[in-house]
Amino acid sequence: MDRERDETPIGEWIEERYWDFFATRFRVKEVLFSERSPFQRVDVVDTHGHGRMLLNDGLVMISERDEFVYHEMIAHVPLFVHPRPERVLVIGGGDGGTVREVFKHPSVQHCRLVEIDGMVVEACRKFIPQTASALDDPRVTVTIADGVEFVAGTEESFDVVIVDSTDPIGPAQPLFGPEFYGNVKRVLRERGIVVSQGESAFYAVDTQKSLLEILAALFERVNLYNYTNTTYPGGLWSFTFASKGLRPVSDFDAARVLRSGIDFKYYNPDVHRAAFALPEFARKALGEFLGEE
Amino acid sequence: MDRERDETPIGEWIEERYWDFFATRFRVKEVLFSERSPFQRVDVVDTHGHGRMLLNDGLVMISERDEFVYHEMIAHVPLFVHPRPERVLVIGGGDGGTVREVFKHPSVQHCRLVEIDGMVVEACRKFIPQTASALDDPRVTVTIADGVEFVAGTEESFDVVIVDSTDPIGPAQPLFGPEFYGNVKRVLRERGIVVSQGESAFYAVDTQKSLLEILAALFERVNLYNYTNTTYPGGLWSFTFASKGLRPVSDFDAARVLRSGIDFKYYNPDVHRAAFALPEFARKALGEFLGEE
């Protein structure tokens, strides 16, 4: 367990505790939404420096100021490696930011979003249209359901699966398990790719290891890539990349990115390649699970 | 001005405020040193999660847990681009961490450290030997003096100058000015390189711009590279790179890194190259000042 649930009421500052020795604080303008769903506490607060922020159980999920980093990196890396993504599955991601980036790819015909907590979708639709307005796109189907059960039962298939999950505590815990990824493999088409929120590079190496070990037992290619936003504690965070064969750098066509005309704020071809260059401590700790890029 | 001076006494948590809307907190075990020098307040605290930390005016300078990131990236990038660094000047860096990394290069015969605040050196020698023990190396000369005055007056010359400074407030402010860099250019040998602490990529774009503009007016090559540690607020931080001709990626010999046998924790050849891949927002904001890599 990495990030501690915070049950205290929101004051002038919201504070996210990370382990028991580290915290980040954001100055609050106004609390816009604060309710408890069957799964977690859901808060939307307006802040002085980071716009509106979504928190689940007191953990920062997104801020309007820096959500572009996370959403561009979770979506464009797999979608520019896959030669022609048409059907995309997003597990979690009820804020809508990942779906927004997915639809910048004109080949995508349908995106299914499976979010366990309808209250997250509702709160973001009401207060964070910057991300949630993507959920009004006619090409998206929003399903409020358990992602683990969804992939176990569905007959649909997908080119890319994006596991846009919270940390492996609370409702997201089974999303870090082997049964889930066995079913993800089953619903993925022949050239399929799955990327997943892969936790903190500095503080969650054990979680990263266990996730990569599960992926390496199932998929032909497994890699890890990093990004840095401003609101997650401890700097460097990661996504896992696993595929039925496609390599994240060697099979990546930078010219396609430039031709796309997408107005990126974080992502670009250099950033795509650079994200797979792991710090030496991570390469040593995780290298045994990682394949050719 | 980016990071606010904190004048409050140290409690169970130390807090660094960043602008007026963002803060990071570290849980304190014990305050080991807390004095006021003619230049700033100097604190060394032992923490629960990050080992011993040095703070100047309440701003985190280093922690034992993650100082390897900053020090490896400020030192090895220029020293592996220069074909044979023999004489190195470090401005600031009184904790000794940069000097420690510099001496991992066997070609270095002499390193001069010019630190304005003797109390920083004294506190680190006593409480943070992990970095400060490098200052006992017979190849280093520690000079307690103003770095701006030193480069204005010295007749020495250097292959690499490393400006290991605090933020551009308080005693470090003149280190972000054009007179200083004019003199740095003067003391640099023909193939010389200067790298400097370049502030936060997300929150200090204006400071980065003004520093790059000064460098671009003086040096043939100017670039910026990023790194991420865990204790500086807001994820991505940067160093500027300026040289009399050497390019940071094209003139970089990865094989030399592997031959060196240095036991890196963050740096490696992939990280070296990847560090120059700027996020799109930074490329757009700073691209006019940046040259060929």
Side-chain angles (χ1 to χ4, degrees), chain A residues 15 20-23 25-27 50 65 202-203 228 230 263-266 268 278 280-281 284, chain B residues 15 20-23 25-27 50 65 202-203 228 230 235 263-266 268 278 280-281 284:
Chain A
E15 174 171 316
D20 65 344
F21 53 75
F22 189 24
R25 307 184 96 197
F26 303 92
R27 193 158 154 238
H50 295 84
R65 179 163 183 166
F202 284 110
Y203 296 98
T228 303
T230 85
D263 187 24
F264 304 108
K265 292 173 76 181
Y266 188 87
N268 61 40
L278 304 188
E280 190 61 10
F281 73 87
K284 281 176 183 157
Chain B
E15 175 171 316
D20 64 344
F21 54 74
F22 189 23
R25 308 183 96 196
F26 303 92
R27 194 158 154 237
H50 295 84
R65 179 163 183 164
F202 284 109
Y203 296 98
T228 302
T230 87
D263 187 24
F264 304 108
K265 291 173 75 180
Y266 188 87
N268 60 41
L278 303 188
E280 190 61 12
F281 73 86
K284 281 176 181 157

Side-chain angles (χ1 to χ4, degrees), chain B residues 107-167:
Chain B
S107 65
V108 174
Q109 294 161 3
H110 183 245
C111 180
R112 184 178 289 279
L113 178 92
V114 180
E115 164 64 55
I116 199 168
D117 192 347
M119 188 182 283
V120 169
V121 176
E122 177 198 330
C124 292
R125 276 192 195 273
K126 195 157 175 191
F127 295 108
I128 313 185
Q130 179 175 312
T131 55
S133 63
L135 301 177
D136 297 330
D137 191 293
R139 293 167 294 172
V140 69
T141 307
V142 177
T143 305
I144 303 301
D146 181 335
V148 172
E149 289 171 15
F150 178 84
V151 294
T154 186
E155 297 301 318
E156 294 177 59
S157 65
F158 301 92
D159 299 303
V160 172
V161 174
I162 297 176
V163 186
D164 182 359
S165 73
T166 59
D167 304 304

Side-chain angles (χ1 to χ4, degrees), chain B:
Chain B
M1 186 186 299
D2 308 325
R3 299 161 88 182
E4 288 188 359
R5 286 157 186 271
D6 177 13
E7 299 292 338
T8 56
I10 291 173
E12 197 205 341
W13 290 77
I14 45 168
E15 175 171 316
E16 173 176 339
R17 284 277 176 93
Y18 196 69
W19 300 91
D20 64 344
F21 54 74
F22 189 23
T24 47
R25 308 183 96 196
F26 303 92
R27 194 158 154 237
V28 175
K29 260 188 199 163
E30 189 184 356
V31 178
L32 300 169
F33 185 95
S34 186
E35 291 191 32
R36 184 167 291 283
S37 79
F39 302 100
Q40 57 203 343
R41 180 169 134 193
V42 177
D43 298 302
V44 178
V45 297
D46 195 14
T47 67
H48 283 274
H50 295 84
R52 294 179 176 190
M53 297 176 78
L54 168 70
L55 298 97
N56 291 349
D57 281 335
L59 307 180
V60 175
M61 296 292 113
I62 63 167
S63 88
E64 286 182 325
R65 179 163 183 164
D66 73 343
E67 55 83 15
F68 68 94
V69 180
Y70 178 97
H71 292 130
E72 290 188 10
M73 290 301 281
I74 200 171
H76 296 306
V77 169
L79 288 167
F80 276 117
V81 172
H82 193 286
R84 192 180 164 76
E86 293 176 352
R87 293 180 49 78
V88 176
L89 172 64
V90 178
I91 306 281
D95 56 73
T98 298
V99 171
R100 182 191 63 204
E101 298 304 315
V102 165
F103 284 136
K104 293 181 178 171
H105 292 255
S107 65
V108 174
Q109 294 161 3
H110 183 245
C111 180
R112 184 178 289 279
L113 178 92
V114 180
E115 164 64 55
I116 199 168
D117 192 347
M119 188 182 283
V120 169
V121 176
E122 177 198 330
C124 292
R125 276 192 195 273
K126 195 157 175 191
F127 295 108
I128 313 185
Q130 179 175 312
T131 55
S133 63
L135 301 177
D136 297 330
D137 191 293
R139 293 167 294 172
V140 69
T141 307
V142 177
T143 305
I144 303 301
D146 181 335
V148 172
E149 289 171 15
F150 178 84
V151 294
T154 186
E155 297 301 318
E156 294 177 59
S157 65
F158 301 92
D159 299 303
V160 172
V161 174
I162 297 176
V163 186
D164 182 359
S165 73
T166 59
D167 304 304
I169 49 174
Q173 195 152 23
L175 295 179
F176 288 76
E179 298 76 11
F180 171 66
Y181 280 103
N183 282 312
V184 167
K185 186 181 178 184
R186 188 183 63 78
V187 304
L188 272 176
R189 291 173 172 183
E190 196 188 343
R191 294 186 291 187
I193 299 169
V194 53
V195 299
S196 306
Q197 196 278 102
E199 296 293 309
S200 157
F202 284 109
Y203 296 98
V205 176
D206 288 345
T207 305
Q208 292 186 315
K209 264 190 194 169
S210 103
L211 187 52
L212 289 170
E213 194 171 5
I214 289 165
L215 292 168
L218 288 164
F219 290 91
E220 191 171 338
R221 306 271 177 209
V222 175
N223 291 94
L224 187 84
Y225 63 103
N226 288 321
Y227 67 98
T228 302
N229 71 12
T230 87
T231 54
Y232 289 0
L236 211 58
W237 281 65
S238 72
F239 297 113
T240 60
F241 175 104
S243 82
K244 295 187 169 182
L246 286 167
R247 294 162 301 177
V249 177
S250 306
D251 293 320
F252 163 65
D253 176 12
R256 203 173 114 206
V257 179
L258 302 176
R259 278 200 311 273
S260 76
I262 301 173
D263 187 24
F264 304 108
K265 291 173 75 180
Y266 188 87
Y267 180 86
N268 60 41
D270 289 341
V271 164
H272 180 120
R273 286 182 285 245
F276 290 88
L278 303 188
E280 190 61 12
F281 73 86
R283 209 183 61 80
K284 281 176 181 157
L286 308 172
E288 64 180 299
F289 305 111
L290 305 178
E292 187 197 346
E293 293 160 13

